[in-house]
Amino acid sequence: MPEQKDRIESPTARGLDAGALKYTASIAYDRRLYRQDIAGSIAHARMLAKQGIIPGDDAQSIVSGLEDIRDEIERGDFPFHEELEDIHLNIEARLQEKIGEAAGRLHTARSRNDQIATDMRLFVIEACDTAVSAIRDLQIALLDVAEENRNAIMPGYTHLQRAQPVLFAHHLLAYFEMLDRDAGRFGDCRSRADELPLGAGALAGSPYPLDREFVANELGFSRVSRNSIDAVGDRDFVVEFQATAATAMMHLSRLAEEIVLWSSDEFGFVRLPDAFATGSSIMPQKRNPDVAELARGRTGRVYGNLLAILTMLKGLPLAYNRDLQEDKQPLFDTVDTLLPTLQTLAALLPTLEVDSDRMEAVAGGSYTLATDVADYLARKGVPFREAHQAVAQLVRYAEDKGKLLSGLSLVEYRRFSALFDDDVLALDVRSSIAVRDVPGGTAPSRVAEALKLARERLREEP
Amino acid sequence: MPEQKDRIESPTARGLDAGALKYTASIAYDRRLYRQDIAGSIAHARMLAKQGIIPGDDAQSIVSGLEDIRDEIERGDFPFHEELEDIHLNIEARLQEKIGEAAGRLHTARSRNDQIATDMRLFVIEACDTAVSAIRDLQIALLDVAEENRNAIMPGYTHLQRAQPVLFAHHLLAYFEMLDRDAGRFGDCRSRADELPLGAGALAGSPYPLDREFVANELGFSRVSRNSIDAVGDRDFVVEFQATAATAMMHLSRLAEEIVLWSSDEFGFVRLPDAFATGSSIMPQKRNPDVAELARGRTGRVYGNLLAILTMLKGLPLAYNRDLQEDKQPLFDTVDTLLPTLQTLAALLPTLEVDSDRMEAVAGGSYTLATDVADYLARKGVPFREAHQAVAQLVRYAEDKGKLLSGLSLVEYRRFSALFDDDVLALDVRSSIAVRDVPGGTAPSRVAEALKLARERLREEP
Amino acid sequence: MPEQKDRIESPTARGLDAGALKYTASIAYDRRLYRQDIAGSIAHARMLAKQGIIPGDDAQSIVSGLEDIRDEIERGDFPFHEELEDIHLNIEARLQEKIGEAAGRLHTARSRNDQIATDMRLFVIEACDTAVSAIRDLQIALLDVAEENRNAIMPGYTHLQRAQPVLFAHHLLAYFEMLDRDAGRFGDCRSRADELPLGAGALAGSPYPLDREFVANELGFSRVSRNSIDAVGDRDFVVEFQATAATAMMHLSRLAEEIVLWSSDEFGFVRLPDAFATGSSIMPQKRNPDVAELARGRTGRVYGNLLAILTMLKGLPLAYNRDLQEDKQPLFDTVDTLLPTLQTLAALLPTLEVDSDRMEAVAGGSYTLATDVADYLARKGVPFREAHQAVAQLVRYAEDKGKLLSGLSLVEYRRFSALFDDDVLALDVRSSIAVRDVPGGTAPSRVAEALKLARERLREEP
Amino acid sequence: MPEQKDRIESPTARGLDAGALKYTASIAYDRRLYRQDIAGSIAHARMLAKQGIIPGDDAQSIVSGLEDIRDEIERGDFPFHEELEDIHLNIEARLQEKIGEAAGRLHTARSRNDQIATDMRLFVIEACDTAVSAIRDLQIALLDVAEENRNAIMPGYTHLQRAQPVLFAHHLLAYFEMLDRDAGRFGDCRSRADELPLGAGALAGSPYPLDREFVANELGFSRVSRNSIDAVGDRDFVVEFQATAATAMMHLSRLAEEIVLWSSDEFGFVRLPDAFATGSSIMPQKRNPDVAELARGRTGRVYGNLLAILTMLKGLPLAYNRDLQEDKQPLFDTVDTLLPTLQTLAALLPTLEVDSDRMEAVAGGSYTLATDVADYLARKGVPFREAHQAVAQLVRYAEDKGKLLSGLSLVEYRRFSALFDDDVLALDVRSSIAVRDVPGGTAPSRVAEALKLARERLREEP
């Protein structure tokens, strides 16, 4: 390779058919791992020197050569070659150009199998951290909007039918909880990814006196892998990242769906500002919630990426198989989908113009207090099941009369139970909310407490 | 309902079209949750009485009625009715038959929305525990087989090409690690599932002075849910269970693939005993590894179940929607697939007749010591990349001569590097394994240590 | 086997571990294929006799024995045995009990591999026919509702924002088209499934002088398979069925979503009759669209089933592998999901109480005529892009004034373009619909024509 | 827009938040549709002029402006702007720069909704044609290899256990059949995609006197869409393409798996030439089948893409929603995966060095003739089931003696049935193959016929 100035050649793809090379080369996308790859190589070279496996001078030139290369890549000056297949060999070949023979010592005691596993783990660890940070920002946005609208009342829905009045803030806090679980899962994923594979060699370990703990320490890993065959054949950490991201996108798709519904003319709960509404090329009046629709639609891509890695791994014998190369593109795509979705929704939420008057008006319509009326009877000793039945008839009566419950007289109430008294007429949206005063309930004091606690959790949690 | 002796009727499905009832009823499969449902109702009734929400006597009859019903179900005597839709209403109606009016007080301060969420969490918690226990049994089987064959040598593979010799025990320990991560993930899933939703009501909380901590304690939950809307609309714990199970099945599919390969005539590493080999209806000689094939094939079903729940949840507005009913069948199917797969493989593994002679013979064929030869040169100061190149030529030479490396003379070795000396001829399968003496490597002492540590981990881990 | 009266034994699972037998036995679900299996066996036996491969008398007893067995199964009298693994061996063992030694000749010249492939193809062919028939019924329901409401106007939506007025019938016809494509795909799937595998033997063909065309003819297949290895290893027809069903469920999920939206208080376009609305166990007022929600939610299961078969087949070497047994349960589940969904929606649709007054009122709100105003200008020579811009400003002006377009005066119109004339004030919902008079457009005459054509297509199509 | 020389602005994304613009813009990938988009615009402009909707001169400038733009894009000179969102608006804005006001008339009587549906259908139609053509090339490669090795015998496998001898050519023809079905499905997909949506407008049709048939004709569509709402909201053709591609990749993954197996040392049926074998960065001896492994691994990506589109479409209300934008990237990725996989395998297959001696030797090992022996007895009148049982015992006996069937004496045979005669000793691999002389069987004459027929089918089929 070094002698043939005019033609760069891979030590592993020599003589490969041009189509096959194109089909197998990964440099077009694995170049994204250059930082991880160089960091791993620097740590490896330092350890080799420390252990006396390669000369200290060679390690020095390797390290400074790699630092140069990192700069070149970041400046956009690095000459990527498809015929060098992947990021590892591209960097190694360039290192050879820069520092000559010493470059050939870098690959001592390692294989691309443990090298790429190391790169991928570093990438996933960082992706977990970035995802958690973006989740925290969206949680903050939810709390901000909740606090700003802390008195706003909306109809709570089940089956997309108005069910019972709730505080808008309470509704938003449901998403806070979902996101909190997502952050927890990314944390768990990070913990399991946090293990150094380097030193596993091709699959069997290495015949050199390596100091794996030293390398782990240099790269910020908490521990070294316990089994070399598992170390090179495992991609659980990618699967777990994909599953966690898929769950998070599912949550975001639910939030997005609600933004789409709320901003429809039919709901009219929120209005999108110009900065987050898009127009139509033909209909001049349109204010479309495209950001929310795309957040919802992109969920499919992330689900697909989860499936892709699971399918790829199914039935693979140990240890490394080239199929594993296919872990990358779906992972990158998920990262590039999840993070902007979190960020864009965090930017959008505070700009929503909430129409709390309309929400509250609607919250009291449609017999949403019927449960309160049933509970009223139950508290007077009627078994709940009977109370429920009586109120169902009461609602039917009101519907036939074209009245809301608030439009009925006590006389009319009493047609369905003699236990009704004047105070039943005092039931309203605010009283309905106020009485749901249990841990996790929508009563204003509970929600205020939940908001406070949520802020504290964010301060304490990583 | 109680008056109409001759016709049982649901309080919620009254007047429903027969086809629609059939389409929506879930009793055919959610009856499986009867234990969880009854346990939840008993805890709820006790709490209602303790808080003075229903009379103590009523609570007593409810509890003993429910215990009777549990016995009936377990005896197979319970009269399930499709027109009562689900397990909740079937039990409630039967309770009414047994204890009369008091039964109507049981549904005070709860909704089927928080009730089913409670049932499902109890089910998933138990499923996590059972899965971990079955995983531990398979891990033990792996350790047993590994210890019994602790000196057996096999060729390690990458790309299904023989790569380097490894200990068979080392190979099996790779699966031990995979399963260990699975157990960890089930543990994490359990922790997040471990949260009582009861008390969330339909979605807004409850107007009664509930003691949710008491109920949590009765049912073994560590904490109560923090947000009532999230509590009834969340199925993350099912998604997480499915994703964890899918990952575990993926691991089992890899093990199954290897059993299929190893028991083929071509590999011949193991022989299946009659107890785990099936015949052919036409070919009298066949000994098919059907158990392994089905373990591999059933992976698809579990992947499908994960996808089903993710798809179902995508874009659902809060809080409860009937779509959520579709969380059950895929979950049950996954539990019914994963557990028998773990158990059957744990039973099969120790019965494998390992042909260690053949494995070792094969391990030394096919130039699997080439890396050792390259490392030999590297240790004499040749940059690894050059050493790799020299040995590649050496291998090609040997192939052309139709010889193995062990068949070459020192003179022939020296055609490729003057640094070769007599001791290169001493390289063999055992020396190759012995020198891979790094943490996680295949050297016998490392593997012995790993086996010991693995036993300890099993003792300590839950 | 025949001698041992006290214990039934499989010729292929003899000596199998009890757990392994349980794990591998499929009789619990493949019994569903009994009709196909018996029909296949009868045709096979007749052909064997016709070709002189087995005695005619034996064939006679086989045929009448099998017919008896079919009756037994249909009467519920058949003694299924798990230890006989599958439907094939259960039937064969029972036949032996009934007719003795001659039963042993039935399995001449066939294998379970070609036998199960035949059963499955017969099942899929029938499932395609049933699906097409259920699709046709739903298409008819759509046409009935469309015709009954042929003058009803609704707002057409894009991005769930009101876009332009359309006929309700036109909207329903969109689903007619989707379903029509589904029927076409089921037809294509059927054509490809319509090929007899029997005669392929285990994988290599058969050494007997079979008349495969005779068997195909008996069973209603149009042709015989061309390659025996493909014949036993292929499950494309199941994949295609699953993909087609998934697409159909996707369409139904969109219709279901609209039923959920339309029946919400916010939209109020339709009201569900009692026969298709379910109540709440706690909220007495609820009328939930559970049927539609479940149709939507079950889409996930069908997607999962598609994925399951694709995953199972991935990377399987030829020819038959036991993994293929996993084609059945997901297929049965899809059939059992798709057909009732089609049927239940066909029953539900005609019962919807359409509130056409409300729909029409809403159709004219929210500036849905803005495109008509832009087209008005374009027809007067303004480039459409400029017209679009002018009307966008007009709408913004009206919004600020809190007016609809119909509330603006000509003077106000003219502030945005001098080309506006009196006739712009005449634009309304009906004129907007009437002018969209292109093939496929919503103009009443086009829709009437489309309805008529749709009826004709149903009459002509299979 | 035209006045503001210094800043290009979208008519629909004006004022959009920078992050939201970045999140929603699709120009980074939909630029790939430029050819389709320009062809559609040219046809549309011509039709508008023909119908007198826009001036003929304007149409002329539009057409020549668009042709210039196409050249610019192909030369790499086109100034793409993210703030112009998508390919439609990028081209329209550039057209305005080039031809001024007339450009504003191009968007008369159309919307981006019907425009993108047209572009996508044109793309899918072309992709179907390209896929079929690549499939045909791979089929030809299979036939070439089959013919070149027409006498080669290999062991046929079921359960990856040697089952019966077959011709290698017969085995390859199984893939020919699979690919043939794939081509058929792509053809069906093409037929359903072949329908012009343009003229559907935003969703309701167009108020202009369009000649849709003219446009269809110009663009090569066979018919126009029948319902405007369906036309803009439908992506079935993408789903169908993805499902068809997923099935094709599944087939290729099976072929790839076999190449991996066959080229292993254990099988040794084929040797990969240097042009298709890759080395290891650490193990100098490796010849890895990376191309096949990647073909197998990439199947996961294509499955994921199918899932992505199905998930995205699930539960979407009509008509167009922005979610639909997510149809593109997975489609492009599938095309970019499937086609190179077909091409690379077509290039690889003919280079395989088939070791037919080894295959034939193996084909006769392992009791693969046991079925022939059972059939021998059956032909002498023993019911097959009994014959099967006798030969199973014979095989067991031979195994115990460590002999193959060919190593047994007639005396030994007779211990298991008195019906054995001298001629049983003549059974061998070639006779076993020769007697499987049924349509679709592996007898040489049948395979020769199948090869001939396959060539003819390729000539006749599209």
XYZ file of all heavy atoms in Angstrom, chain D residues 80-108:
237
model
N -30.520 25.235 -5.240
C -31.573 24.761 -4.338
C -31.609 25.625 -3.078
O -30.569 26.002 -2.550
C -31.321 23.294 -3.940
C -31.589 22.323 -5.046
C -30.548 21.701 -5.715
C -32.901 22.033 -5.435
C -30.792 20.799 -6.745
C -33.151 21.124 -6.463
C -32.091 20.521 -7.125
N -32.819 25.914 -2.627
C -32.978 26.731 -1.412
C -33.863 25.998 -0.421
O -35.005 25.684 -0.733
C -33.621 28.078 -1.744
C -32.748 28.951 -2.578
N -31.627 29.574 -2.072
C -32.816 29.321 -3.882
C -31.045 30.285 -3.039
N -31.743 30.140 -4.153
N -33.357 25.761 0.773
C -34.166 25.096 1.784
C -35.406 25.927 2.136
O -36.468 25.385 2.409
C -33.341 24.831 3.057
C -34.090 23.994 4.069
C -33.232 23.653 5.279
O -32.887 24.581 6.033
O -32.909 22.466 5.462
N -35.276 27.241 2.102
C -36.426 28.069 2.482
C -37.545 27.985 1.456
O -38.660 28.446 1.720
C -36.019 29.525 2.774
C -35.344 30.259 1.637
C -33.831 29.997 1.587
O -33.392 28.883 1.960
O -33.105 30.871 1.129
N -37.281 27.381 0.315
C -38.366 27.123 -0.643
C -38.924 25.709 -0.469
O -39.591 25.167 -1.348
C -37.876 27.352 -2.072
C -37.702 28.832 -2.413
C -36.902 29.000 -3.696
C -39.054 29.530 -2.535
N -38.630 25.133 0.654
C -39.259 23.895 1.135
C -39.047 22.636 0.304
O -38.478 21.672 0.755
C -40.789 24.064 1.292
C -41.214 25.125 2.254
C -42.734 25.198 2.330
O -43.377 24.190 2.662
O -43.267 26.282 2.046
N -39.579 22.661 -0.922
C -39.632 21.399 -1.653
C -39.268 21.595 -3.120
O -38.956 22.694 -3.560
C -41.034 20.768 -1.510
C -42.137 21.710 -1.976
O -41.902 22.555 -2.879
O -43.244 21.616 -1.418
N -39.269 20.501 -3.845
C -38.870 20.559 -5.248
C -39.842 21.414 -6.074
O -39.431 22.138 -6.987
C -38.737 19.129 -5.842
C -38.174 19.146 -7.266
C -40.073 18.383 -5.806
C -36.765 19.646 -7.375
N -41.134 21.360 -5.715
C -42.130 22.121 -6.486
C -41.837 23.622 -6.420
O -41.788 24.309 -7.424
C -43.545 21.885 -5.963
C -43.819 20.482 -5.566
N -43.668 19.434 -6.433
C -44.242 19.934 -4.386
C -43.982 18.299 -5.807
N -44.319 18.584 -4.565
N -41.676 24.123 -5.209
C -41.504 25.557 -5.049
C -40.116 26.008 -5.462
O -39.938 27.137 -5.930
C -41.803 25.971 -3.606
C -43.280 25.782 -3.209
C -43.487 26.199 -1.758
C -44.207 26.577 -4.118
N -39.137 25.149 -5.339
C -37.822 25.501 -5.834
C -37.853 25.712 -7.349
O -37.301 26.688 -7.855
C -36.797 24.403 -5.487
C -36.083 24.676 -4.180
O -35.092 25.404 -4.143
N -36.608 24.136 -3.088
N -38.522 24.790 -8.012
C -38.591 24.932 -9.474
C -39.444 26.133 -9.860
O -39.085 26.918 -10.738
C -39.134 23.623 -10.109
C -38.074 22.527 -10.005
C -39.567 23.842 -11.548
C -38.544 21.144 -10.432
N -40.559 26.308 -9.182
C -41.434 27.427 -9.527
C -40.733 28.771 -9.319
O -40.854 29.691 -10.140
C -42.733 27.345 -8.703
C -43.793 28.318 -9.187
C -45.071 28.283 -8.339
O -45.508 27.173 -7.957
O -45.606 29.375 -8.057
N -39.992 28.887 -8.213
C -39.309 30.154 -7.944
C -38.236 30.426 -8.999
O -38.050 31.557 -9.469
C -38.685 30.124 -6.549
N -37.527 29.367 -9.373
C -36.479 29.518 -10.388
C -37.109 29.901 -11.728
O -36.564 30.736 -12.474
C -35.732 28.188 -10.521
C -34.570 28.200 -11.478
C -33.346 28.851 -10.870
N -32.238 28.915 -11.817
C -31.544 30.008 -12.077
N -31.806 31.155 -11.451
N -30.554 29.989 -12.943
N -38.264 29.317 -12.001
C -38.962 29.637 -13.246
C -39.338 31.121 -13.268
O -39.216 31.794 -14.294
C -40.220 28.755 -13.357
C -40.984 28.790 -14.676
C -40.120 28.264 -15.829
C -42.268 27.954 -14.591
N -39.779 31.617 -12.149
C -40.129 33.038 -12.023
C -38.903 33.908 -12.331
O -38.992 34.891 -13.055
C -40.596 33.303 -10.592
C -41.165 34.684 -10.355
C -42.673 34.636 -10.116
O -43.225 33.591 -9.833
N -43.332 35.761 -10.280
N -37.761 33.497 -11.793
C -36.534 34.244 -12.085
C -36.236 34.245 -13.573
O -35.744 35.214 -14.128
C -35.336 33.610 -11.358
C -35.282 33.901 -9.873
C -34.086 33.197 -9.197
O -33.264 32.593 -9.911
O -34.008 33.260 -7.962
N -36.541 33.116 -14.197
C -36.183 32.970 -15.603
C -37.181 33.634 -16.534
O -36.799 34.302 -17.492
C -36.110 31.484 -15.975
C -34.846 30.798 -15.513
C -34.837 29.349 -16.028
C -33.530 28.666 -15.718
N -32.350 29.231 -16.394
N -38.490 33.439 -16.289
C -39.462 33.905 -17.287
C -40.438 34.933 -16.729
O -41.338 35.395 -17.436
C -40.259 32.723 -17.886
C -41.181 32.091 -16.813
C -39.337 31.680 -18.511
C -42.229 31.171 -17.396
N -40.274 35.299 -15.472
C -41.119 36.346 -14.889
C -42.545 35.905 -14.656
O -42.830 34.732 -14.406
N -43.447 36.869 -14.782
C -44.839 36.718 -14.380
C -45.538 35.459 -14.889
O -46.347 34.859 -14.180
C -45.624 37.954 -14.871
C -46.933 38.145 -14.158
C -47.809 39.177 -14.883
O -48.296 38.865 -16.010
O -48.005 40.270 -14.338
N -45.243 35.057 -16.106
C -45.920 33.880 -16.678
C -45.780 32.654 -15.784
O -46.674 31.796 -15.725
C -45.375 33.573 -18.068
N -44.655 32.599 -15.060
C -44.433 31.468 -14.161
C -45.569 31.337 -13.167
O -45.933 30.226 -12.751
C -43.105 31.631 -13.423
N -46.126 32.437 -12.792
C -47.210 32.449 -11.813
C -48.471 31.766 -12.316
O -49.399 31.508 -11.553
N -48.533 31.516 -13.626
C -49.730 30.857 -14.185
C -49.626 29.331 -14.151
O -50.620 28.640 -14.367
C -49.946 31.286 -15.640
C -50.194 32.767 -15.805
C -50.819 33.094 -17.150
N -50.661 34.514 -17.451
C -51.428 35.474 -16.936
N -52.403 35.167 -16.111
N -51.218 36.738 -17.224
N -48.420 28.842 -13.915
C -48.237 27.380 -13.966
C -49.056 26.659 -12.892
O -49.560 25.559 -13.111
C -46.738 27.044 -13.795
C -46.386 25.564 -13.618
C -46.863 24.741 -14.807
C -44.882 25.392 -13.434
N -49.167 27.305 -11.742
C -49.860 26.608 -10.640
C -51.387 26.759 -10.724
O -52.105 26.394 -9.806
C -49.317 27.077 -9.290
C -49.365 25.999 -8.234
N -48.707 24.796 -8.353
C -50.024 25.926 -7.028
C -48.938 24.053 -7.282
N -49.742 24.704 -6.467
N -51.872 27.296 -11.848
C -53.315 27.354 -12.064
C -53.872 25.932 -12.106
O -53.274 25.048 -12.732
C -53.619 28.012 -13.445
O -52.862 29.218 -13.537
C -55.107 28.316 -13.576
